[in-house]
Short mmCIF file of all heavy atoms in Angstrom, two decimals:
data_model
loop_
_atom_site.label_atom_id
_atom_site.label_comp_id
_atom_site.label_asym_id
_atom_site.label_seq_id
_atom_site.Cartn_x
_atom_site.Cartn_y
_atom_site.Cartn_z
N THR A 721 1.85 2.03 8.24
CA THR A 721 2.75 2.82 9.12
C THR A 721 2.37 2.56 10.54
O THR A 721 1.24 2.72 10.93
CB THR A 721 2.69 4.27 8.82
OG1 THR A 721 2.95 4.49 7.44
CG2 THR A 721 3.64 5.07 9.67
N ARG A 722 3.36 2.11 11.35
CA ARG A 722 3.21 1.90 12.80
C ARG A 722 3.33 3.25 13.54
O ARG A 722 3.80 4.21 12.99
CB ARG A 722 4.26 0.88 13.28
CG ARG A 722 4.24 -0.39 12.51
CD ARG A 722 3.30 -1.35 13.13
NE ARG A 722 3.32 -2.61 12.39
CZ ARG A 722 2.22 -3.30 12.04
NH1 ARG A 722 1.06 -2.85 12.37
NH2 ARG A 722 2.30 -4.41 11.34
N ALA A 723 2.97 3.20 14.80
CA ALA A 723 3.10 4.42 15.63
C ALA A 723 4.50 4.93 15.73
O ALA A 723 4.75 6.10 15.92
CB ALA A 723 2.55 4.11 17.02
N SER A 724 5.47 3.99 15.56
CA SER A 724 6.87 4.39 15.63
C SER A 724 7.34 5.23 14.41
O SER A 724 8.38 5.79 14.41
CB SER A 724 7.75 3.11 15.63
OG SER A 724 7.61 2.43 14.41
N GLY A 725 6.44 5.28 13.39
CA GLY A 725 6.81 6.04 12.17
C GLY A 725 7.44 5.18 11.09
O GLY A 725 7.71 5.66 9.99
N LEU A 726 7.65 3.93 11.37
CA LEU A 726 8.21 3.00 10.39
C LEU A 726 7.11 2.59 9.44
O LEU A 726 6.00 2.13 9.83
CB LEU A 726 8.80 1.76 11.06
CG LEU A 726 9.60 0.86 10.21
CD1 LEU A 726 10.85 1.51 9.66
CD2 LEU A 726 10.00 -0.44 10.96
N THR A 727 7.37 2.77 8.12
CA THR A 727 6.37 2.42 7.09
C THR A 727 6.89 1.21 6.34
O THR A 727 8.06 1.14 5.91
CB THR A 727 6.19 3.64 6.17
OG1 THR A 727 5.67 4.70 6.92
CG2 THR A 727 5.23 3.27 5.04
N CYS A 728 5.98 0.24 6.13
CA CYS A 728 6.30 -0.94 5.40
C CYS A 728 5.46 -1.05 4.18
O CYS A 728 4.28 -0.79 4.19
CB CYS A 728 6.17 -2.23 6.27
SG CYS A 728 7.24 -2.23 7.72
N LEU A 729 6.01 -1.55 3.09
CA LEU A 729 5.26 -1.82 1.85
C LEU A 729 4.55 -3.09 2.00
O LEU A 729 5.14 -4.08 2.39
CB LEU A 729 6.24 -1.87 0.67
CG LEU A 729 7.06 -0.55 0.44
CD1 LEU A 729 8.05 -0.76 -0.68
CD2 LEU A 729 6.19 0.60 0.27
N VAL A 730 3.24 -3.15 1.70
CA VAL A 730 2.42 -4.32 1.87
C VAL A 730 2.13 -4.96 0.51
O VAL A 730 2.14 -6.19 0.39
CB VAL A 730 1.11 -4.01 2.62
CG1 VAL A 730 0.22 -5.20 2.69
CG2 VAL A 730 1.48 -3.43 3.99
N ALA A 731 1.80 -4.15 -0.51
CA ALA A 731 1.52 -4.67 -1.81
C ALA A 731 1.67 -3.58 -2.87
O ALA A 731 1.70 -2.42 -2.52
CB ALA A 731 0.06 -5.16 -1.86
N SER A 732 1.90 -4.03 -4.10
CA SER A 732 2.01 -2.97 -5.17
C SER A 732 1.56 -3.67 -6.45
O SER A 732 1.53 -4.85 -6.58
CB SER A 732 3.43 -2.46 -5.32
OG SER A 732 4.32 -3.51 -5.71
N GLY A 733 1.22 -2.84 -7.45
CA GLY A 733 0.79 -3.43 -8.75
C GLY A 733 0.45 -2.34 -9.72
O GLY A 733 0.90 -1.15 -9.62
N GLN A 734 -0.32 -2.71 -10.74
CA GLN A 734 -0.65 -1.86 -11.84
C GLN A 734 -2.20 -1.80 -12.02
O GLN A 734 -2.86 -2.67 -11.50
CB GLN A 734 -0.05 -2.36 -13.20
CG GLN A 734 1.47 -2.36 -13.16
CD GLN A 734 1.99 -0.95 -13.18
OE1 GLN A 734 1.51 -0.08 -13.82
NE2 GLN A 734 3.06 -0.74 -12.38
N GLY A 735 -2.71 -0.93 -12.79
CA GLY A 735 -4.11 -0.81 -13.12
C GLY A 735 -4.97 -0.14 -12.08
O GLY A 735 -6.14 -0.46 -11.97
N PHE A 736 -4.41 0.84 -11.39
CA PHE A 736 -5.16 1.52 -10.37
C PHE A 736 -6.27 2.34 -11.05
O PHE A 736 -6.14 2.98 -12.06
CB PHE A 736 -4.29 2.53 -9.62
CG PHE A 736 -4.99 3.30 -8.56
CD1 PHE A 736 -5.30 2.76 -7.32
CD2 PHE A 736 -5.50 4.60 -8.82
CE1 PHE A 736 -5.99 3.47 -6.39
CE2 PHE A 736 -6.19 5.38 -7.89
CZ PHE A 736 -6.47 4.73 -6.68
N GLU A 737 -7.51 2.29 -10.42
CA GLU A 737 -8.63 3.04 -10.85
C GLU A 737 -9.34 3.61 -9.61
O GLU A 737 -9.39 2.97 -8.57
CB GLU A 737 -9.67 2.19 -11.60
CG GLU A 737 -9.17 1.66 -12.93
CD GLU A 737 -10.24 0.87 -13.62
OE1 GLU A 737 -11.44 1.22 -13.51
OE2 GLU A 737 -9.90 -0.15 -14.27
N THR A 738 -9.88 4.79 -9.73
CA THR A 738 -10.70 5.35 -8.65
C THR A 738 -12.18 5.01 -8.89
O THR A 738 -12.67 5.22 -9.96
CB THR A 738 -10.54 6.89 -8.65
OG1 THR A 738 -9.18 7.21 -8.42
CG2 THR A 738 -11.30 7.52 -7.50
N LEU A 739 -12.78 4.44 -7.84
CA LEU A 739 -14.18 4.10 -7.92
C LEU A 739 -15.00 4.71 -6.78
O LEU A 739 -14.44 5.00 -5.75
CB LEU A 739 -14.32 2.54 -7.75
CG LEU A 739 -13.59 1.68 -8.76
CD1 LEU A 739 -13.74 0.18 -8.39
CD2 LEU A 739 -14.07 1.90 -10.19
N GLN A 740 -16.24 4.90 -7.08
CA GLN A 740 -17.18 5.39 -6.05
C GLN A 740 -18.45 4.56 -6.10
O GLN A 740 -19.45 5.02 -6.55
CB GLN A 740 -17.45 6.87 -6.20
CG GLN A 740 -16.26 7.68 -5.94
CD GLN A 740 -16.63 9.21 -5.87
OE1 GLN A 740 -17.76 9.59 -5.90
NE2 GLN A 740 -15.59 10.02 -5.83
N GLU A 741 -18.30 3.31 -5.68
CA GLU A 741 -19.47 2.39 -5.75
C GLU A 741 -20.38 2.58 -4.49
O GLU A 741 -19.90 2.87 -3.42
CB GLU A 741 -18.96 0.95 -5.77
CG GLU A 741 -18.13 0.66 -7.03
CD GLU A 741 -17.68 -0.84 -7.07
OE1 GLU A 741 -17.81 -1.55 -6.05
OE2 GLU A 741 -17.19 -1.22 -8.17
N GLN A 742 -21.64 2.38 -4.75
CA GLN A 742 -22.66 2.41 -3.68
C GLN A 742 -22.75 1.06 -3.00
O GLN A 742 -22.55 0.06 -3.67
CB GLN A 742 -23.96 2.87 -4.25
CG GLN A 742 -23.98 4.22 -4.89
CD GLN A 742 -23.65 5.31 -3.86
OE1 GLN A 742 -24.17 5.32 -2.74
NE2 GLN A 742 -22.83 6.26 -4.23
N VAL A 743 -23.05 1.07 -1.71
CA VAL A 743 -23.29 -0.20 -1.04
C VAL A 743 -24.60 -0.79 -1.58
O VAL A 743 -25.62 -0.08 -1.66
CB VAL A 743 -23.40 0.04 0.51
CG1 VAL A 743 -23.80 -1.23 1.26
CG2 VAL A 743 -22.13 0.65 1.01
N PRO A 744 -24.65 -2.07 -1.97
CA PRO A 744 -25.86 -2.67 -2.50
C PRO A 744 -26.88 -2.72 -1.42
O PRO A 744 -26.61 -2.94 -0.25
CB PRO A 744 -25.41 -4.10 -2.92
CG PRO A 744 -23.95 -4.15 -2.74
CD PRO A 744 -23.46 -3.01 -1.99
N THR A 745 -28.17 -2.49 -1.79
CA THR A 745 -29.27 -2.58 -0.84
C THR A 745 -29.55 -4.04 -0.57
O THR A 745 -29.36 -4.93 -1.45
CB THR A 745 -30.51 -1.91 -1.39
OG1 THR A 745 -30.82 -2.46 -2.59
CG2 THR A 745 -30.28 -0.34 -1.51
N GLN A 746 -29.99 -4.37 0.61
CA GLN A 746 -30.31 -5.74 0.97
C GLN A 746 -31.34 -6.36 0.04
O GLN A 746 -32.37 -5.74 -0.27
CB GLN A 746 -30.81 -5.83 2.43
CG GLN A 746 -30.92 -7.25 2.91
CD GLN A 746 -31.20 -7.23 4.38
OE1 GLN A 746 -31.45 -6.26 5.02
NE2 GLN A 746 -31.15 -8.40 4.98
#
Side-chain angles (χ1 to χ4, degrees):
T721 303
R722 305 272 180 223
S724 67
L726 189 65
T727 298
C728 297
L729 303 176
V730 177
S732 65
Q734 296 293 319
F736 179 81
E737 293 183 37
T738 301
L739 302 175
Q740 292 190 8
E741 296 181 350
Q742 298 295 318
V743 176
T745 57
Q746 190 172 6

